[in-house]
Amino acid sequence: MNIVIVSSEMVPFVKRGGLADVVGSLSKVLVRRGHTVSVFVPLYRVVDKNGYDFEETLSPVEVWVDGSSRKASFFHVNYEGVDVYFVDNPYYFDREEVYSTSQGDYPDNAQRFGFFSLAVVKVITSNMWKVDVVHCNDWETALIPVFLKKIYGMKIPVLLTIHNLAYQGIFPKDTLPRLGLPWDLFTVDALEFYGNINLLKGGIVFSDLINTVSPTYSKEIQEPSFGFGLDGVLRSRRDDLYGILNGIDVDFWNPEKDESIYQKYNADTVEKKLENKLKLQEDMGLMVKKELPLIGWISRLVDQKGLDLFAIIVDELLAGDVGVVVLGSGEEKYQNLMLDLAERCKSKFAVRIGFDPVLANRIYAASDMFLMPSKFEPCGLGQMIALRYGSIPVVHKTGGLADTVIDYTKDPSNGNGFVFEDYKASSFMDALQRALAVYKDDLAWKGLVKRAMALDFSWDKSAGLYEELYSKAKEKIS
Ligand code: ADP
């Protein structure tokens, strides 16, 4: 198939979240499976150009946004067989950041991503382009189906993937004409959303098929509690709504080949994992002791990730024989909570505020347990990476966590982690206590770690499911 993927991020060029990993890995695997894959990404200032030849390609197109015509130029890079096209417009993309600065979101984000979307539409609707399916991702590209179907009247199949429903692209209604869209789209069954316009809603309404990044999340978002106001629209499209679990790049996340960790290991040499723990305990100023369970947490420090529960249970947790190491950044109140704890309990609790890929790998390799008490989690990569490194996840049963982690207490022969069902501090603490109890049983714990490390979270299975959705989207419009 000729597959066009459109995204605001892609590894290894620009990453601000899991979306970048998904687009980078999925496109590579699809090429390996015999498809022709083109990915469109904006040419931000922060795009990492090191080691790649950016060559100007295609004819520029003129895009009308915000009352004037602006030029989109295109630069091509071949990335492991994937044709990556960077859409260039210095006015919109030659800025310090991708979405926002410390002052907040760029106020013209609707115009920036509207411009990007329309530029892509102009290219793929030109006669020379062969396209079997367009795969859009999140609100930044959700105007593509709106333009293709409503404005251009094209019968090109579109799949929209929702990576996190919490981000929808909501803008004042007067943004509609600035994007060159007619007022007849300002209705409840199109882009209108409580007096504003909602770009993701437009994408949900006009795409042929929609998917989220795990089967459980695709059901949860049809409920008011997880729907962020879009549950009704999603319910109305439930026959076209799917859930496909993300994979991880198992070549990159591999304790056997990982150059950033202190000691490489695999499922057969798992005893070597201990060296990673002892070295990290030392590096982070924690008590160095091999019997002490080390609990790792690598996360954005935001409400979604279960910080409120952690704040309630942490004193009880630290009263026991444990070490905790946290890497993350986010809301100031949670950063301060972590910094205070590290100050108060130096030998048991260590934190690094910031984004640090090397330390992240070291924590996955060193820790015995990994926390993901998320309130909601569309898919979650952390638990899959942790499992691959033999760090046993302790998770809330939601979204992708529910689809990847089986509770060991309930199912000792298949369990790969510890799961709590009610989003309550006491349930979280109970799951942790169950994990700490099993940790004391050396033989049981070793068996659990080996089973975790043998699990397969590679992209191939999911890529096959995306192929099926692409075919279904094609059938829908033929
Ligand atoms: P989300 O995309 O909601 O942030 P995921 O679990 O899907 O959560 O993906 C998070 C990814 O980012 C994981 O690969 C995790 O290791 C990584 N990560 C998160 N915070 C940090 C950090 N502070 N430093 C390094 N890597 C981080």
Side-chain angles (χ1 to χ4, degrees), residues 15 17-18 21 164 253 298-300 304-305 327-329 354-357 360 364 372 377 379-383 385:
K15 169 169 169 167
D21 294 299
N164 190 340
W253 299 109
I298 304 166
S299 180
R300 291 185 288 122
Q304 181 201 330
K305 301 292 181 178
L327 167 63
S329 63
F355 195 88
D356 185 341
Y364 285 119
M372 280 189 83
E377 194 59 78
C379 176
L381 300 174
Q383 81 280 18
I385 301 168

Side-chain angles (χ1 to χ4, degrees), residues 192-204:
E192 195 271 340
F193 188 73
Y194 300 102
N196 293 310
I197 60 165
N198 182 325
L199 304 194
L200 188 67
K201 184 182 173 194
I204 294 169

Side-chain angles (χ1 to χ4, degrees), residues 6 26 61 172 193 240 258 266 277 281 284 286 300 307 312 349 383:
V6 196
L26 176 63
V61 294
F193 188 73
D240 298 317
D258 192 332
N266 62 30
K277 172 155 97 178
Q281 283 173 330
M284 301 295 289
L286 292 167
R300 291 185 288 122
L307 274 295
I312 299 171
F349 189 96
Q383 81 280 18

Side-chain angles (χ1 to χ4, degrees), residues 6-260:
V6 196
S7 171
S8 56
E9 302 179 24
M10 178 186 186
V11 158
F13 304 105
V14 51
K15 169 169 169 167
R16 291 295 176 272
L19 166 67
D21 294 299
V22 174
V23 172
S25 314
L26 176 63
S27 56
K28 257 192 327 192
V29 176
L30 288 168
V31 166
R32 240 190 277 144
R33 293 167 71 95
H35 303 287
T36 301
V37 182
S38 309
V39 181
F40 284 87
V41 189
L43 187 58
Y44 312 103
R45 188 191 299 167
V46 296
V47 164
D48 185 0
K49 302 194 184 74
N50 270 340
Y52 297 96
D53 275 337
F54 279 62
E55 279 183 23
E56 188 149 15
T57 183
L58 308 174
S59 308
V61 294
E62 288 291 326
V63 177
W64 189 94
V65 174
D66 234 353
S68 53
S69 180
R70 297 182 192 275
K71 188 168 96 170
S73 317
F74 299 88
F75 289 81
H76 174 263
V77 169
N78 186 295
Y79 165 66
E80 303 198 18
V82 180
D83 288 307
V84 187
Y85 294 92
F86 291 91
V87 179
D88 185 31
N89 178 282
Y91 175 74
Y92 282 137
F93 301 125
D94 187 10
R95 298 186 185 182
E96 183 189 340
E97 253 305 324
V98 173
Y99 306 112
S100 54
T101 61
S102 51
Q103 269 85 57
D105 287 347
Y106 288 121
D108 58 350
N109 271 349
Q111 289 91 322
R112 296 172 73 224
F113 292 104
F115 170 87
F116 169 58
S117 299
L118 197 45
V120 175
V121 166
K122 290 211 162 180
V123 171
I124 61 178
T125 52
S126 70
N127 294 333
M128 322 132 47
W129 205 274
K130 230 176 141 297
V131 43
D132 289 307
V133 64
V134 183
H135 181 173
C136 299
N137 294 277
D138 282 346
W139 73 261
E140 291 86 356
T141 61
L143 281 179
I144 289 177
V146 180
F147 284 123
L148 275 179
K149 309 279 174 177
K150 284 299 284 186
I151 310 296
Y152 283 64
M154 301 291 287
K155 285 189 107 187
I156 295 178
V158 180
L159 168 69
L160 172 70
T161 301
I162 302 170
H163 296 261
N164 190 340
L165 192 65
Y167 305 95
Q168 301 181 356
I170 298 170
F171 299 97
K173 66 178 178 191
D174 65 6
T175 315
L176 201 69
R178 289 162 175 258
L179 297 169
L181 291 169
W183 280 109
D184 64 14
L185 286 172
F186 193 68
T187 61
V188 279
D189 46 14
L191 271 70
E192 195 271 340
F193 188 73
Y194 300 102
N196 293 310
I197 60 165
N198 182 325
L199 304 194
L200 188 67
K201 184 182 173 194
I204 294 169
V205 171
F206 292 107
S207 295
D208 298 291
L209 294 180
I210 307 140
N211 80 294
T212 65
V213 288
S214 70
T216 297
Y217 193 62
S218 73
K219 299 205 170 57
E220 287 173 342
I221 57 174
Q222 297 180 47
E223 304 292 330
S225 47
F226 287 95
F228 290 97
L230 288 180
D231 45 293
V233 188
L234 287 159
R235 276 197 303 279
S236 74
R237 299 247 25 216
R238 63 178 157 256
D239 292 343
D240 298 317
L241 175 58
Y242 295 82
I244 300 180
L245 202 62
N246 288 334
I248 55 171
D249 186 335
V250 289
D251 297 328
F252 179 78
W253 299 109
N254 182 357
E256 210 173 351
K257 300 207 176 115
D258 192 332
E259 295 299 334
S260 14

